[in-house]
Amino acid sequence: MEENLGCYAIELEDVSTYYYGEKRPAIRDITLRIPARVLVLIVGPNGAGKTTLLETILGLLRPRSGRVITLGYEIPRMASKARALSSYLPQDFMKSPAEPFTAREVVAMGLASNTPTGRLLEGNLRRVDHALKMLGMLEYADRPFGKLSGGQQQKVLLARAIAREPKLLLLDEPFSAIDQETRSYITSEIFPRLLENGCTILLVSHELNHSYMDADIVIRMVDGRIERVITRDVHAIH
Ligand SMILES: Nc1ncnc2c1ncn2[C@@H]1O[C@H](COP(=O)(O)OP(=O)(O)OP(=O)(O)O)[C@@H](O)[C@H]1O
Ligand SMILES: [Mg+2]
């Protein structure tokens, strides 16, 4: 697929997004340029607009004003193209215990959505198992997803996001249920590999944990605005 990448993975200009019926914008006048292949950490208190920012970048929410370009595609007009190259792990991930699919099937679904017929090719199945293995979840591949623990479910969903080999990976509180050891493995082993392969990662978190110190850019949001941007050795944004 044609990538259509400019020099930035994400560009926002004066973007404000309102939820339906609300008088106050959830994010306001956001101007931001994120280069490709960087790890961006987005922090800030509850209600700061972190999730709204991610969903505006993907075109899941439509900004009332401003301009959004994601992976070179104008949002929301070309959002489906940008989304096909992206993986998004939403904040609320828990599935009901009655969820009928196995862990492997849940990961495979992430790939099926990008194939015209929705069918999985042999090579894709290998990708699925490779991603499960990376997250230490291969031995749970045939278990029903809904019967896994919260942390195990989160690992499976991370495996699904990674198996898609995205150009843009958006993770909203991905570690909330994941143990410290796995967290460190993901940030020190998996993220660098993704970045090397050209992926740009946006990670939302409440905490400024020491394991995030490898972030190239830290964005602090408060009350729908960007309060502070700290960059490390990357071309300035803001
Ligand atoms: N569906 C919705 N309808 C109306 N307002 C919403 C909706 N979702 C969020 N908001 C409001 O938009 C603002 C930003 O919310 P958002 O979910 O982006 O914050 P957040 O930084 O992700 O918070 P948290 O850390 O709790 O996940 C908040 O004021 C919130 O109340
Ligand atoms: Mg949120």
Side-chain angles (χ1 to χ4, degrees), residues 14-192:
D14 287 330
V15 172
S16 298
T17 302
Y18 291 70
Y19 284 94
Y20 181 76
E22 295 293 325
K23 290 200 179 65
R24 271 169 62 89
I27 54 172
R28 62 177 87 196
D29 305 328
I30 303 277
T31 295
L32 190 63
R33 289 184 191 88
I34 309 279
R37 293 173 173 240
V38 296
L39 172 59
V40 183
L41 177 63
I42 303 171
V43 295
N46 295 134
K50 306 182 297 295
T51 299
T52 306
L53 178 65
L54 294 191
E55 300 206 345
T56 301
I57 287 168
L58 280 181
L60 298 171
L61 294 170
R62 182 180 284 250
R64 183 173 294 179
S65 57
R67 195 153 170 257
V68 180
I69 298 174
T70 301
L71 298 176
Y73 293 108
E74 185 93 39
I75 303 297
R77 195 168 58 85
M78 306 281 276
S80 60
K81 294 245 184 211
R83 284 207 289 265
L85 298 173
S86 306
S87 287
Y88 174 39
L89 179 49
Q91 189 167 9
D92 304 312
F93 65 90
M94 289 291 284
K95 293 286 191 307
S96 97
E99 162 86 46
F101 299 106
T102 65
R104 182 181 279 115
E105 286 166 338
V106 167
V107 177
M109 276 179 237
L111 297 181
S113 66
N114 267 5
T115 60
T117 56
R119 281 177 49 226
L120 276 181
L121 306 168
E122 189 82 6
N124 285 351
L125 271 175
R126 273 199 296 277
R127 254 159 79 177
V128 167
D129 279 9
H130 180 65
L132 279 166
K133 190 164 178 219
M134 270 206 287
L135 271 303
M137 289 303 292
L138 195 53
E139 59 185 296
Y140 299 91
D142 296 315
R143 298 256 196 109
F145 179 78
K147 295 211 168 85
L148 298 175
S149 75
Q152 290 169 336
Q153 289 186 359
Q154 216 164 13
K155 289 182 196 174
V156 170
L157 294 180
L158 265 166
R160 174 164 76 181
I162 289 165
R164 286 163 54 80
E165 296 177 359
K167 283 284 160 211
L168 178 63
L169 178 61
L170 305 181
L171 305 170
D172 200 345
E173 300 280 4
F175 299 145
S176 54
I178 286 184
D179 57 71
Q180 188 55 50
E181 197 183 326
T182 311
R183 242 186 238 211
S184 307
Y185 179 75
I186 293 168
T187 51
S188 64
E189 300 288 331
I190 298 183
F191 284 174

Side-chain angles (χ1 to χ4, degrees), residues 180-227:
Q180 188 55 50
E181 197 183 326
T182 311
R183 242 186 238 211
S184 307
Y185 179 75
I186 293 168
T187 51
S188 64
E189 300 288 331
I190 298 183
F191 284 174
R193 255 182 269 167
L194 291 170
L195 294 167
E196 255 169 50
N197 289 333
C199 183
T200 303
I201 306 172
L202 266 63
L203 187 142
V204 167
S205 175
H206 285 105
E207 26 165 9
L208 201 48
N209 189 295
H210 69 274
S211 62
Y212 300 139
M213 286 307 160
D214 284 338
D216 300 297
I217 301 170
V218 179
I219 297 173
R220 180 171 160 79
M221 295 189 71
V222 176
D223 198 21
R225 297 178 195 274
I226 292 177
E227 188 203 56

